[in-house]
Amino acid sequence: MTLLTICQNAADETKGPRPASVHGNAAPEAQELLRLANKVGTHLMRSTVWQVLREEKTFTALAQETQTSIIPSDFDRFIPETFWDRTNGVLVTGPIGPVEWQGLKAASYAGRPKFAHRGGNILAVPAFDGGETLAFEYVSKNWVDTNGDGSGNASAWAADANTSILDEELMTLGVVYEFLAANGLPVNMAAFAYETRFALMIENDQPSESILVAGDIFGGGRHFGGAPTGNVPDTV
């Protein structure tokens, strides 16, 4: 579904006027639906690590503490425990907070590598030697597909024909809930529908180790949960 159909369906459910257009429409009811659709999309993007929004960044380390021009333009947040020095097979822990960062700097820390995110750059302690292949996963902020191929290149609706990379029905239920809440109307049923759909989508998007997968049926190994393996050294 597009932005327009999401908003039209939400209007149908709330018994409001059905807009013929949304983006660029000066009518207050259309502007409210657009605002709510952007609010819901951003909230859902930040609510969990949707697989469709997972991205990987690889780069070559500079021989210095600050790694500049690394953060992708669509970056929203790091996915914990995915930052690895692939050259040495070592997990780079982080992002750590400012208190820990300053404490490590004051103590001339030289143990297992850690990183901080500051000023749009990645800072590493101890500094990398330079030349290491580094990689991390992150959540993309681009939940809107503006070019029709599912790639997603915008963090807000830009036209009525844009589609959501996230589940459209979940988006619609979110807009319905936000509309009712914003207008002081009863929200219990809408909240239940929204939360139920959200839980279902999470379950399907991020299966647990106990869920049967194709590899179990046809003789493959269990899927990797992402936790660091036990043979990773504690220090470097």
Side-chain angles (χ1 to χ4, degrees):
M1 286 188 286
T2 64
L3 165 64
L4 180 57
T5 54
I6 287 172
C7 291
Q8 287 177 334
N9 289 342
D12 291 344
E13 289 210 29
T14 57
K15 305 299 188 287
R18 201 172 202 261
S21 65
V22 176
H23 199 277
N25 189 335
E29 57 271 21
Q31 292 181 343
E32 180 180 23
L33 288 170
L34 175 60
R35 166 69 184 115
L36 296 178
N38 276 316
K39 180 179 180 180
V40 169
T42 301
H43 174 74
L44 290 176
M45 177 270 291
R46 290 183 174 154
S47 294
T48 190
V49 180
W50 302 102
Q51 60 84 18
V52 74
L53 295 180
R54 283 176 51 193
E55 299 287 349
E56 181 184 79
K57 172 67 178 181
T58 60
F59 64 100
T60 302
L62 302 174
Q64 59 190 45
E65 177 181 283
T66 303
Q67 306 296 305
T68 59
S69 303
I70 301 302
I71 302 299
S73 61
D74 65 332
F75 177 91
D76 183 75
R77 63 192 185 276
F78 291 98
I79 298 179
E81 297 190 46
T82 64
F83 197 154
W84 284 81
D85 173 351
R86 291 182 176 177
T87 298
N88 297 301
V90 175
L91 178 69
V92 184
T93 303
I96 61 175
V99 173
E100 183 176 0
W101 173 261
Q102 293 299 332
L104 294 176
K105 292 292 292 182
S108 299
Y109 176 77
R112 186 186 184 119
K114 300 186 179 186
F115 80 96
H117 185 204
R118 188 178 73 192
N121 296 315
I122 291 173
L123 287 71
V125 58
F128 296 116
D129 294 332
E132 299 98 330
T133 297
L134 303 172
F136 62 84
E137 287 202 12
Y138 67 95
V139 177
S140 171
K141 65 182 180 182
N142 289 348
W143 52 271
V144 175
D145 178 16
T146 61
N147 49 21
D149 63 0
S151 61
N153 61 355
S155 57
W157 299 107
D160 281 355
N162 291 169
T163 57
S164 171
I165 294 177
L166 302 176
D167 182 67
E168 295 92 343
E169 181 63 16
L170 182 60
M171 289 284 298
T172 303
L173 293 174
V175 173
V176 170
Y177 167 77
E178 292 291 349
F179 178 88
L180 296 175
N183 288 277
L185 299 170
V187 299
N188 288 349
M189 294 302 295
F192 177 77
Y194 187 26
E195 292 169 2
T196 300
R197 182 75 179 188
F198 181 82
L200 176 64
M201 297 309 300
I202 291 293
E203 181 179 353
N204 291 337
D205 192 73
Q206 302 168 13
S208 68
E209 291 286 342
S210 61
I211 293 178
L212 195 68
V213 296
D216 300 320
I217 300 172
F218 297 106
R222 296 294 294 174
H223 52 287
F224 176 52
T229 57
N231 61 357
V232 176
D234 291 331
T235 59
V236 295

